[in-house]
Amino acid sequence: MNNPFENALSQLKRATALTSFDEKFLKRIGHPNRQIRVSIPVEMDDGRLNMFEGYRVQFNNARGPYKGGIRFHQDTDIEEVKALAFWMALKCAVVNIPMGGGKGGVTVNPKELSKGELERLSRGWMRAMADVVGPQKDVPAPDVNTTPQIMQWMSDEFGKITGDTSGAVITGKPLEAGGSEGRGTATAQGGFYVFEALRKRLGLPETCTVAIQGFGNAGQFAAKLWHEAGHKVVAVSDSQSAIRNSAGIDILALIEHKRSTRSVADFAGAETFTSDDVLYEPCDLLIPAALENQIHEGNADRIQAKAILELANGPITPEADDILHAKGTPVVPDILANAGGVTVSTFEWEQNLKGEHWGEEAVFERLKQIMEREAVLIADRAKELNTDLRRAAFVVALERIQEAMK
Ligand code: GLU
């Protein structure tokens, strides 16, 4: 099993070998400022008490309050949260928003909880963390398996405890609870702007065939966006199964199918196959939009896609990066490709602090400008340093964090 934090440190080492950084900064940046572990008691529907383990890692706040989502997953642990928090610090610097990096989580399979149990767990996480988060301290958000509804419960709980009802403590809330227009689709939308800005440099045709791993928030909206823009989505997976159709999948009908059956399997007109094999589909663009460590030393040579855009965090290990690089398969790294989510989160925070509500068009216009500008800047930097996009994105982010730490 790959330890995601070790992978993150290995990425750091590989990038910082390319250009000179201050020695003390390099020593410091590999360590989180603070790691918090809490026990969350939850009364279950049958009257029993269950204890859950919750986390918040506050990695670096030189550029602004810690920022990053909260993940509810059965395999989540402190090492994973630490890696995700580090990537958040870099990600916020890549898109140049005034935020640092943090991440949270709970070890739980939320699909096994009732709605009431999920609410009590969510409120319990916030109760345990209320001292360490806040609009100017640390601003959480959604991540894997956490929804706008969960953000609303947490925001409400924070308001009850502290009296701060601005909502600016947490982002990704429903619209009626202070959420921003466009936040739900922002991760995929940001990735799409990056794709459009870099498509030619990635050597991709005007109309691409696309395979997507994961059909959660990021994967579903990505499928919809690429499909609506005239590209052909030929394969999609969720955690249970995958489906393929070389003539293209009707994404709107698939979203409906997933909603009603909770699975992509057995979608009419497509062939159902093994979930993990979606990675090896022949296509122009592969979009991993699930979890970390999906493409590793053991399977990177089986990838047939011409380019990869990481909507998930950490889906490719450093060893796999090397194999893909040698094969000539460019990778648009997570800290650039999926930064649209945290960017619109930051717009939400800003709107809450100012008591404003921006229209969807204004949100996407601002998002587009940021994503295009930073994508081009990183691609230029990669060329100048004669390296891949991940190392270039790390260098750009680290320079910005180093500057702030001075
Ligand atoms: N969880 C998302 C990420 O990994 C969004 C974080 C946020 O909006 O703060 O980027």
Side-chain angles (χ1 to χ4, degrees):
M1 187 61 188
N2 274 299
N3 176 320
F5 188 63
E6 273 165 26
N7 286 343
L9 290 182
S10 152
Q11 291 169 341
L12 174 70
K13 220 188 234 161
R14 294 148 61 98
T16 53
L18 292 172
T19 168
S20 73
F21 285 94
D22 182 78
E23 217 174 286
K24 287 181 184 155
F25 167 74
L26 284 186
K27 210 165 214 177
R28 176 105 197 255
I29 196 64
H31 297 267
N33 288 352
R34 182 139 74 143
Q35 303 180 58
I36 302 145
R37 298 171 84 128
V38 295
S39 301
I40 308 170
V42 174
E43 187 164 327
M44 308 304 277
D45 291 347
D46 63 6
R48 280 179 309 126
L49 187 81
N50 270 7
M51 297 302 295
F52 293 91
E53 188 162 17
Y55 318 95
R56 187 72 184 167
V57 174
Q58 300 181 324
F59 209 96
N60 185 285
N61 63 348
R63 297 177 35 86
Y66 301 104
K67 183 89 194 80
I70 304 166
R71 171 174 299 202
F72 284 4
H73 195 275
Q74 58 274 21
D75 298 330
T76 290
D77 61 20
I78 194 82
E79 289 301 298
E80 182 189 62
V81 176
K82 216 197 300 177
L84 292 162
F86 179 41
W87 287 323
M88 283 309 306
L90 297 167
K91 191 185 298 186
C92 293
V94 158
V95 280
N96 224 343
I97 50 180
M99 292 291 179
K103 201 83 173 196
V106 176
T107 310
V108 61
N109 180 356
K111 289 166 192 154
E112 290 172 358
L113 300 187
S114 71
K115 192 173 178 202
E117 290 164 348
L118 191 61
E119 174 170 356
R120 293 193 287 282
L121 176 64
S122 304
R123 289 183 182 276
W125 187 96
M126 183 51 95
R127 212 171 305 127
M129 300 291 183
D131 291 349
V132 296
V133 301
Q136 302 301 339
K137 276 195 227 170
D138 184 348
V139 184
D143 195 71
V144 172
N145 290 335
T146 47
T147 58
Q149 167 76 82
I150 292 174
M151 300 304 113
Q152 181 174 14
W153 288 326
M154 289 183 168
S155 167
D156 182 63
E157 194 64 27
F158 184 79
K160 278 190 195 160
I161 296 167
T162 65
D164 177 351
T165 53
S166 69
V169 65
I170 200 162
T171 58
K173 301 178 294 295
L175 283 182
E176 64 279 11
S180 177
E181 303 287 342
R183 177 61 187 87
T185 54
T187 304
Q189 188 70 57
F192 187 73
Y193 292 143
V194 171
F195 161 79
E196 288 204 306
L198 300 185
R199 184 183 57 76
K200 283 195 193 132
R201 301 196 199 205
L202 297 169
L204 295 177
E206 223 164 285
T207 322
C208 291
T209 53
V210 185
I212 301 175
Q213 184 195 37
F215 211 56
N217 176 282
Q220 274 188 37
F221 283 118
K224 196 163 169 253
L225 280 172
W226 263 266
H227 175 75
E228 281 171 355
H231 302 285
K232 208 195 284 178
V233 180
V234 293
V236 167
S237 73
D238 60 20
S239 59
Q240 307 301 323
S241 340
I243 56 162
R244 61 158 79 92
N245 181 347
S246 58
I249 296 165
D250 178 351
I251 297 301
L252 292 183
L254 178 64
I255 290 174
E256 194 37 51
H257 174 81
K258 168 88 181 174
R259 194 170 299 141
S260 57
T261 68
R262 295 173 156 263
S263 163
V264 298
D266 303 321
F267 178 62
E271 180 196 346
T272 299
F273 63 110
T274 311
S275 175
D276 291 348
D277 289 352
V278 75
L279 298 170
Y280 318 130
E281 286 295 290
C283 59
D284 295 310
L285 181 68
L286 172 64
I287 305 181
L291 295 168
E292 53 278 0
N293 292 338
Q294 300 299 301
I295 303 174
H296 45 78
E297 214 171 356
N299 69 357
D301 60 342
R302 294 181 63 192
I303 304 292
Q304 299 193 53
K306 294 198 188 99
I308 304 178
L309 182 116
E310 297 182 323
L311 279 190
N313 290 307
I316 303 180
T317 67
E319 297 77 25
D321 261 345
D322 285 342
I323 297 169
L324 293 164
H325 192 64
K327 285 211 311 184
T329 310
V331 173
V332 185
D334 46 10
I335 57 171
L336 169 64
N338 72 26
V342 72
T343 302
V344 176
S345 268
T346 302
F347 297 165
E348 180 175 329
W349 172 77
E350 201 181 324
Q351 290 170 76
N352 293 155
L353 289 176
K354 293 180 177 160
E356 293 176 358
H357 188 82
W358 307 347
E360 189 180 68
E361 228 170 274
V363 167
F364 284 146
E365 193 42 49
R366 286 179 72 159
L367 176 66
K368 185 167 191 256
Q369 263 180 29
I370 292 174
M371 299 311 294
E372 283 178 356
R373 183 184 68 214
E374 302 304 332
V376 168
L377 186 140
I378 285 167
D380 287 346
R381 198 64 193 276
K383 206 165 170 193
E384 185 194 311
L385 292 169
N386 190 24
T387 189
D388 57 24
L389 292 168
R390 187 180 324 274
R391 286 179 174 87
F394 264 66
V395 167
V396 167
L398 290 164
E399 284 172 352
R400 288 173 178 169
I401 296 171
Q402 176 173 255
E403 185 58 36
M405 283 174 82
K406 276 189 198 153

